[in-house]
Amino acid sequence: MEFQEVVRRRRMVRNYDPSRPVPAEIRERLLANALRAPSAGFSQGWAFLVLESAEERARYWSATVTESGEPDPWLRDMQNAPLLIVPLSHKQAYLDRYAAADKGWTDKDEARWPVPYWDIDTGFGALLMLLTAVDEDLGACFFGVPPDRMAPFRAAFGVPEEFTPIGTVSVGYRAPDRRSPSLRRGHRPVEDVVHYGSW
Ligand SMILES: Cc1cc2nc3c(=O)[nH]c(=O)nc-3n(C[C@H](O)[C@H](O)[C@H](O)COP(=O)(O)O)c2cc1C
């Protein structure tokens, strides 16, 4: 698919055909492309947890969906996704990388970091997966893991404390879904957000 078409067609897809798994070669391409993301100091302080079997996915949903009441309809449909990839950021890898001789931040002081590059870089990887899904004519969505579900999520999959799930990417063949009401906001026009030359 032509690149501009990929960008134009990308949108968050929140329902999938549960009977069609994502072919293994596409799954591997999603992951390989995520690893092409840029990273500060080429730290590559990320990890990707791939959940595919029905048991793994059920474990994900029971760990991350808040117990009280029914899940939102969008979240219910999302559970049809045959593939979940959880990108996790690893702050310590950045602190360690920048303490190396060529960087010299040996105090590993977090205050040196203008913004959390570990989350940014992992997010770049997630975006590459979203774009790759469009290129493969699949649907995908990035959605958050609630703060109070981080500990149950880590426990469910044996994830070390120092890795933080920045969200989850669901992937699959598209099924009819509800568009987010947020989309009524429309895309903000260039003149609202771009400042040429000065603010
Ligand atoms: C950091 C981030 C968190 C998001 N979290 C959720 C979420 O928890 N649930 C959801 O349905 N969509 C989530 N979204 C998707 C946004 O709602 C969506 O990107 C936005 O409405 C624009 O729609 P589009 O991506 O389809 O163009 C998230 C997107 C981002 C970038």
Side-chain angles (χ1 to χ4, degrees), residues 104-116:
W105 293 359
T106 51
D107 56 10
K108 301 191 181 183
D109 183 356
E110 249 186 273
R112 291 179 176 277
W113 297 82
V115 290

Side-chain angles (χ1 to χ4, degrees), residues 38-120:
S39 65
F42 210 21
S43 303
Q44 304 167 78
W46 48 48
F48 299 86
L49 178 68
V50 179
L51 304 175
E52 210 160 26
S53 73
E55 186 280 318
E56 290 162 353
R57 288 180 285 122
R59 191 150 29 115
Y60 173 88
W61 293 115
S62 64
T64 59
V65 175
T66 311
E67 279 132 36
S68 59
E70 280 290 295
D72 293 339
W74 71 266
L75 201 49
R76 216 182 36 230
D77 290 346
M78 197 79 90
Q79 297 184 26
N80 289 326
L83 173 63
L84 300 170
I85 302 177
V86 185
L88 303 108
S89 69
H90 190 198
K91 176 169 69 180
Q92 194 59 46
Y94 285 77
L95 301 182
D96 293 343
R97 164 69 188 102
Y98 274 68
D102 60 329
K103 297 288 185 190
W105 293 359
T106 51
D107 56 10
K108 301 191 181 183
D109 183 356
E110 249 186 273
R112 291 179 176 277
W113 297 82
V115 290
Y117 285 167
W118 36 93
D119 295 333
I120 288 181

Side-chain angles (χ1 to χ4, degrees), residues 14 74 178-186:
R14 297 181 178 83
W74 71 266
R178 247 174 277 246
R179 316 276 319 228
S180 163
S182 306
L183 290 177
R184 288 195 212 107
R185 299 163 57 83

Side-chain angles (χ1 to χ4, degrees), residues 10-14 74 78 141-145 166 179-180 182-183 187:
R10 189 214 57 75
R11 71 171 185 87
M12 300 304 186
V13 171
R14 297 181 178 83
W74 71 266
M78 197 79 90
C141 184
F142 181 97
F143 57 95
V145 176
I166 63 154
R179 316 276 319 228
S180 163
S182 306
L183 290 177
H187 284 276

